Amino acid sequence: MPDPSSSRWYVPRVVGTSALVLALTAPGQTAAVSAFVDPLIDGLELSRSVVSAAYLVGTLVGAGVMPLLGRAIDRYGARLIMVVVAVGFGAVLMGLSLVQGLVGLTAGFVGIRMLGQGALNLAATTAVALYVHRRRGFAQGITAAVGAAGISLTPVLLEGLVAEHGFRTIWFAEGLVIWATVIPLALLGLPRRIPPRDAQREETGARRNDRLPPVDWTLSEALRTPMFWVVASGVTMVSTLGTAAAFHQIALLGERGLSRTEAAANFLPQTVAGLAATVLLGYLADRVSDRLLIIASRTVLAGALVAAGYVTPGVTAVGYGMLMGVAGNSFRLIEATAFPSSFGLAHIGAIRGVVHTLGVAGSAVGPLLLSLGHDWLGGYRPALLVLALLPVGTIAFAAFVKPPPPRPPQRTA
């Protein structure tokens, strides 16, 4: 009989489950929603800016639940929360198939962003942190890579399905898929019991970068550290800028001469590059400084935004997709691996919940920000060049951040 106090015997099961569930957050992710934007504009007779604003409101409202959800994961475990969220997520998708106007659309955006992009994502990635303790970075890398691959491939599939069957039918079908897959995956794939904390520390002590801190930091203690804010700002930034580019990808790349099909297919190089980057970065996260990975990620994000304004059909468009895939996946992997090793596991749900709130809020602002920039500056290129200044301007902040001490300064040894 395998020893249940050791996470090693069920690592493949946990990682596989979490990776598949992460991929199934796709209906709530911007990449998938982008396939519905133009049909929604035509079907509901709304302008692009109005749909973007509805997306902003829905995402901001949905973001507010993330700290509460993080605390719920700490209390009840990722397994139960994943099931509850999946039930609600599927129901909201089915409800969206009945939408008739702006109010219903905004309410639907609240649901899919809160439950899919936010809650289910947080539950899946936190499950890996809770169950896997040796080579956690590599495990998170595999999870993020498979999840991102599924999310990125979804628009290519949805583009044709929505055009043939309509957005209502596809939204209803997505809800059924969530019920039929995520609920059994959570119940059968995640063990009922998490290893005791003493066993976790004993097991992870074999590797320097896998060790947990000697005490678990609370949320309020973590909020006082520069490491929390440099990672949180990176997640917020990539959510804002990456979501903006993904939401308007078909129109953005169309401005550069790509057809709708070519623009949707650009998610493919994003998937391939993101897959490779997350596996590599997961390996590196166990071995090199978080600070180096943070600086590299911000540099790649800035390069991707600049490249987006100059691509043409062919090689340069593929290059842009690869840069964006690397940038998007790397920030989220860094957050998933840096926080357990810095702050422990007892309050990891609450800590990560705050970061996800900031990230979801950033993803709400991004599409409208780029849409307004396009209108004010006369195209996507100048707007993207302005936005690229954000990651460039914060590299210095990342360069000087130091890891938190082994225990919070407010506590005595």
Side-chain angles (χ1 to χ4, degrees):
M1 268 302 277
D3 179 5
S5 68
S6 170
S7 67
R8 283 176 288 182
W9 72 271
Y10 53 64
V11 163
R13 178 173 142 198
V14 170
V15 171
T17 296
S18 299
L20 290 173
V21 170
L22 188 59
L24 288 163
T25 67
Q29 302 282 0
T30 301
V33 175
S34 67
F36 292 82
V37 172
D38 288 346
L40 282 171
I41 291 171
D42 296 335
L44 301 181
E45 298 181 348
L46 300 172
S47 70
R48 183 172 295 275
S49 291
V50 166
V51 173
S52 297
Y55 196 69
L56 181 150
V57 172
T59 305
L60 283 177
V61 174
V65 78
M66 289 304 102
L68 296 176
L69 179 83
R71 293 180 187 275
I73 292 174
D74 292 334
R75 183 173 181 178
Y76 300 107
R79 184 175 183 266
L80 175 61
I81 298 303
M82 194 178 288
V83 172
V84 173
V85 169
V87 171
F89 187 28
V92 170
L93 286 164
M94 294 179 195
L96 265 171
S97 68
L98 304 174
V99 67
Q100 297 295 326
L102 180 60
V103 174
L105 180 64
T106 304
F109 280 160
V110 170
I112 64 172
R113 297 296 280 166
M114 176 176 67
L115 297 172
Q117 192 264 357
L120 199 58
N121 184 315
L122 179 61
T125 52
T126 302
V128 178
L130 291 173
Y131 289 103
V132 181
H133 311 296
R134 291 198 65 189
R135 302 189 69 186
R136 183 187 294 110
F138 185 70
Q140 287 284 14
I142 295 295
T143 302
V146 174
I151 293 167
S152 299
L153 290 171
T154 302
V156 180
L157 174 65
L158 290 178
E159 181 70 25
L161 290 175
V162 173
E164 183 176 353
H165 300 288
F167 64 88
R168 299 183 189 278
T169 300
I170 301 307
W171 259 331
F172 190 86
E174 286 183 336
L176 291 177
V177 169
I178 294 300
W179 279 358
T181 55
V182 176
I183 295 173
L185 277 171
L187 292 174
L188 300 175
L190 296 182
R192 293 177 179 271
R193 195 157 68 89
I194 296 173
R197 298 193 187 284
D198 290 342
Q200 293 170 5
R201 287 192 168 87
E202 181 180 349
E203 183 181 348
T204 58
R207 295 178 59 85
R208 178 179 62 86
N209 286 327
D210 287 335
R211 279 203 303 262
L212 297 170
V215 297
D216 293 305
W217 295 55
T218 65
L219 172 60
S220 62
E221 290 166 341
L223 289 173
R224 297 188 183 101
T225 66
M227 173 60 79
F228 176 90
W229 290 108
V230 75
V231 174
S233 65
V235 172
T236 305
M237 194 179 306
V238 78
S239 294
T240 303
L241 304 179
T243 300
F247 189 85
H248 296 290
Q249 178 157 300
I250 292 175
L252 187 159
L253 295 180
E255 186 178 86
R256 302 302 311 156
L258 278 72
S259 68
R260 287 183 58 86
T261 301
E262 290 171 333
N266 193 263
F267 284 110
L268 290 173
Q270 293 182 33
T271 300
V272 173
L275 183 69
T278 43
V279 174
L280 175 60
L281 289 171
Y283 174 83
L284 293 175
D286 293 326
R287 291 163 173 79
V288 303
S289 164
D290 293 326
R291 179 167 52 187
L292 293 177
L293 298 180
I294 290 168
I295 293 172
S297 298
R298 296 186 186 214
T299 303
V300 173
L301 176 60
L305 293 171
V306 172
Y310 292 90
V311 301
T312 56
V315 175
T316 57
V318 172
Y320 156 72
M322 294 177 69
L323 287 174
M324 189 58 75
V326 171
N329 289 7
S330 60
F331 273 99
R332 295 178 181 91
L333 176 66
I334 291 167
E335 180 263 337
T337 56
F339 281 174
S341 60
S342 295
F343 305 125
L345 296 174
H347 306 284
I348 192 65
I351 293 169
R352 297 191 68 223
V354 172
V355 177
H356 275 243
T357 295
L358 297 173
V360 173
S363 69
V365 174
L368 183 60
L369 189 65
L370 184 55
S371 179
L372 293 175
H374 171 273
D375 295 342
W376 291 342
L377 300 175
Y380 286 111
R381 179 192 289 178
L384 290 165
L385 292 176
V386 171
L387 293 175
L389 296 175
L390 289 174
V392 170
T394 56
I395 287 175
F397 175 40
F400 292 101
V401 70
K402 294 181 179 180
R407 62 180 66 245
Q410 297 86 355
R411 299 194 206 176
T412 56

